[in-house]
CSV table of all heavy atoms in Angstrom, one decimal:
chain,number,residue,atom,x,y,z
B,241,GLU,N,19.3,9.8,120.3
B,241,GLU,CA,19.4,8.5,120.9
B,241,GLU,C,19.5,8.6,122.4
B,241,GLU,O,20.3,9.4,122.9
B,241,GLU,CB,20.6,7.7,120.4
B,241,GLU,CG,20.5,7.4,118.9
B,241,GLU,CD,21.2,8.5,118.0
B,241,GLU,OE1,21.3,9.6,118.5
B,241,GLU,OE2,21.6,8.1,116.9
B,242,ALA,N,18.7,7.8,123.1
B,242,ALA,CA,18.6,8.0,124.6
B,242,ALA,C,20.0,7.7,125.3
B,242,ALA,O,20.3,8.2,126.4
B,242,ALA,CB,17.6,7.1,125.2
B,243,TYR,N,20.8,6.9,124.7
B,243,TYR,CA,22.1,6.5,125.3
B,243,TYR,C,23.1,7.6,125.1
B,243,TYR,O,24.2,7.5,125.7
B,243,TYR,CB,22.6,5.1,124.7
B,243,TYR,CG,22.9,5.1,123.3
B,243,TYR,CD1,24.1,5.5,122.8
B,243,TYR,CD2,22.0,4.7,122.3
B,243,TYR,CE1,24.4,5.5,121.5
B,243,TYR,CE2,22.2,4.7,121.0
B,243,TYR,CZ,23.5,5.1,120.5
B,243,TYR,OH,23.8,5.1,119.2
B,244,LYS,N,22.8,8.5,124.3
B,244,LYS,CA,23.8,9.6,124.1
B,244,LYS,C,23.5,10.8,125.0
B,244,LYS,O,22.4,11.2,125.1
B,244,LYS,CB,23.8,10.1,122.6
B,244,LYS,CG,24.3,9.1,121.6
B,244,LYS,CD,24.4,9.8,120.2
B,244,LYS,CE,25.1,8.8,119.2
B,244,LYS,NZ,25.2,9.4,117.9
B,245,GLN,N,24.5,11.2,125.7
B,245,GLN,CA,24.4,12.3,126.6
B,245,GLN,C,24.4,13.7,125.9
B,245,GLN,O,23.8,14.6,126.3
B,245,GLN,CB,25.5,12.3,127.7
B,245,GLN,CG,25.3,11.1,128.6
B,245,GLN,CD,26.4,11.1,129.7
B,245,GLN,OE1,27.4,11.8,129.6
B,245,GLN,NE2,26.1,10.4,130.8
B,246,GLN,N,25.1,13.7,124.7
B,246,GLN,CA,25.2,15.0,124.0
B,246,GLN,C,23.9,15.3,123.3
B,246,GLN,O,23.3,14.5,122.7
B,246,GLN,CB,26.3,14.9,123.0
B,246,GLN,CG,26.6,16.2,122.3
B,246,GLN,CD,27.8,16.0,121.4
B,246,GLN,OE1,28.4,15.0,121.2
B,246,GLN,NE2,28.3,17.1,120.8
B,247,ASN,N,23.5,16.5,123.5
B,247,ASN,CA,22.3,17.0,122.8
B,247,ASN,C,22.4,17.1,121.3
B,247,ASN,O,23.4,17.6,120.8
B,247,ASN,CB,21.9,18.4,123.4
B,247,ASN,CG,21.4,18.3,124.8
B,247,ASN,OD1,20.7,17.3,125.2
B,247,ASN,ND2,21.7,19.3,125.6
B,248,ALA,N,21.4,16.6,120.6
B,248,ALA,CA,21.5,16.7,119.1
B,248,ALA,C,21.3,18.1,118.6
B,248,ALA,O,20.5,18.9,119.2
B,248,ALA,CB,20.4,15.7,118.6
B,249,THR,N,21.9,18.4,117.5
B,249,THR,CA,21.7,19.7,116.9
B,249,THR,C,21.6,19.5,115.4
B,249,THR,O,22.3,18.6,114.8
B,249,THR,CB,22.8,20.7,117.2
B,249,THR,OG1,24.1,20.1,116.7
B,249,THR,CG2,23.0,20.9,118.7
B,250,GLU,N,20.8,20.3,114.7
B,250,GLU,CA,20.7,20.3,113.3
B,250,GLU,C,20.5,21.7,112.9
B,250,GLU,O,19.4,22.2,112.8
B,250,GLU,CB,19.5,19.4,112.8
B,250,GLU,CG,19.7,17.9,113.0
B,250,GLU,CD,20.6,17.4,111.9
B,250,GLU,OE1,20.9,18.0,110.9
B,250,GLU,OE2,21.1,16.2,112.1
B,251,ASN,N,21.6,22.4,112.5
B,251,ASN,CA,21.5,23.8,112.1
B,251,ASN,C,20.8,24.6,113.1
B,251,ASN,O,21.4,24.7,114.2
B,251,ASN,CB,20.8,23.8,110.7
B,251,ASN,CG,21.5,23.0,109.7
B,251,ASN,OD1,22.7,23.1,109.5
B,251,ASN,ND2,20.8,22.2,108.9
B,252,ARG,N,19.7,25.2,112.8
B,252,ARG,CA,19.0,26.1,113.8
B,252,ARG,C,18.2,25.4,114.9
B,252,ARG,O,17.7,26.0,115.8
B,252,ARG,CB,18.1,27.0,113.0
B,252,ARG,CG,18.8,28.0,112.0
B,252,ARG,CD,17.8,28.9,111.4
B,252,ARG,NE,16.8,28.2,110.5
B,252,ARG,CZ,15.6,28.1,110.9
B,252,ARG,NH1,15.1,28.6,112.0
B,252,ARG,NH2,14.7,27.4,110.0
B,253,PHE,N,18.2,24.1,114.8
B,253,PHE,CA,17.4,23.3,115.7
B,253,PHE,C,18.3,22.5,116.6
B,253,PHE,O,19.2,21.9,116.2
B,253,PHE,CB,16.5,22.3,114.9
B,253,PHE,CG,15.5,22.9,113.9
B,253,PHE,CD1,15.9,23.2,112.6
B,253,PHE,CD2,14.2,23.2,114.3
B,253,PHE,CE1,15.0,23.8,111.8
B,253,PHE,CE2,13.3,23.8,113.5
B,253,PHE,CZ,13.7,24.1,112.2
B,254,SER,N,17.9,22.5,117.9
B,254,SER,CA,18.7,21.8,118.9
B,254,SER,C,17.7,21.3,120.0
B,254,SER,O,16.6,21.8,120.1
B,254,SER,CB,19.8,22.6,119.5
B,254,SER,OG,19.2,23.7,120.2
B,255,VAL,N,18.2,20.3,120.7
B,255,VAL,CA,17.3,19.8,121.7
B,255,VAL,C,18.0,19.9,123.1
B,255,VAL,O,19.3,20.0,123.1
B,255,VAL,CB,16.9,18.3,121.5
B,255,VAL,CG1,16.1,18.1,120.2
B,255,VAL,CG2,18.2,17.4,121.5
B,256,ASN,N,17.2,19.9,124.1
B,256,ASN,CA,17.7,19.9,125.5
B,256,ASN,C,17.2,18.6,126.1
B,256,ASN,O,16.0,18.5,126.5
B,256,ASN,CB,17.3,21.1,126.3
B,256,ASN,CG,17.9,21.1,127.7
B,256,ASN,OD1,18.7,20.2,128.1
B,256,ASN,ND2,17.5,22.0,128.5
Side-chain angles (χ1 to χ4, degrees):
Chain B
E241 294 92 337
Y243 63 86
K244 288 188 177 179
Q245 294 184 339
Q246 186 174 5
N247 290 325
T249 62
E250 287 287 343
N251 300 313
R252 298 182 295 106
F253 299 87
S254 62
V255 299
N256 184 3

